[in-house]
Amino acid sequence: MIKLRNRNADPAPAPPFEGHGPGGTERATFAAGCFWGVEAAFRQIHGVLQTAVGYTGGHVADPSYERVCRHRTGHAEAVEVWFDPAQVSYAELLQTFWRIHNPTTRNRQGFDVGSQYRSAIFYHDAGQVKTATASRDAEQQSLRRQIVTQITPASAFYRAEEYHQRYLEKHGHPGCAATIR
């Protein structure tokens, strides 16, 4: 028996957020494949003050890595980025986002396949959606294939298990997978 999910269901509501990140910062949330490499790329940017890997864009509250990998939650592996807009702009973060993955492959980055590896920008305000849309349109001009990146409102962000946080730094790896366009 096959159970069909209601694909029109709203994403899980955001749980209360404890704190607001470092003072004077803004938040950005990106999904671009395996969150280990995505986090490592954003951590290298001057002005990024804090990152966390986690799950967002799904329909199940408090998902685990195992459930996300079994495609039962609808979540993407994502990175929450807290940045100082006086040091780095949201537009500059988007340039990194486009550079570190292939936005023309649906639900796949390199050898990682599944909806949790989709390309998505989760915006937090009207300015971010406007900037993200303009950035996508500009990026499309340099690509032959159609960009499939989702630009969608941010919803609940569930921090991944601690062993996933700063994973590549902890294990001495420079990156996750090669980006091939």
Side-chain angles (χ1 to χ4, degrees):
M1 172 193 233
I2 297 175
K3 291 184 179 180
L4 298 176
R5 286 192 296 257
N6 179 359
R7 294 196 182 269
N8 295 323
D10 291 330
F17 182 77
E18 296 178 14
H20 299 284
T25 63
E26 293 181 18
R27 177 172 38 172
T29 308
F30 302 104
C34 173
F35 51 24
W36 296 342
V38 177
E39 181 185 36
F42 281 105
R43 287 188 62 75
Q44 294 175 25
I45 299 172
H46 179 73
V48 169
L49 305 179
Q50 182 176 307
T51 60
V53 298
Y55 318 109
T56 194
H59 56 271
V60 172
D62 202 25
S64 67
Y65 181 70
E66 290 75 22
R67 288 187 73 194
V68 170
C69 288
R70 287 191 300 241
H71 311 286
R72 297 187 179 177
T73 69
H75 288 88
E77 289 191 12
V79 177
E80 186 175 68
V81 177
W82 288 92
F83 65 100
D84 179 349
Q87 297 180 50
V88 63
S89 69
Y90 183 67
E92 290 170 309
L93 295 178
L94 286 163
Q95 289 173 356
T96 296
F97 172 78
W98 299 119
R99 180 180 49 79
I100 63 173
H101 80 298
N102 183 345
T104 68
T105 56
R106 188 172 311 281
N107 298 333
R108 177 185 192 129
Q109 290 300 313
F111 297 115
D112 295 325
V113 179
S115 62
Q116 75 269 33
Y117 300 116
R118 67 187 177 267
S119 174
I121 299 166
F122 298 94
Y123 61 87
H124 293 271
D125 59 37
Q128 284 189 354
V129 70
K130 182 179 176 183
T131 303
T133 302
S135 178
R136 179 205 54 209
D137 295 348
E139 184 69 16
Q140 183 64 65
Q141 298 302 310
S142 67
L143 299 173
R144 287 181 156 167
R145 296 178 63 200
Q146 188 68 37
I147 290 177
V148 297
T149 301
Q150 298 171 346
I151 299 176
T152 187
S155 60
F157 181 86
Y158 298 96
R159 188 178 166 94
E161 297 80 357
E162 191 55 37
Y163 72 92
H164 288 296
Q165 305 302 323
R166 298 173 77 169
Y167 184 89
L168 296 179
E169 287 179 43
K170 292 175 186 175
H171 294 87
H173 297 288
C176 227
T179 300
I180 302 169
R181 289 192 186 185

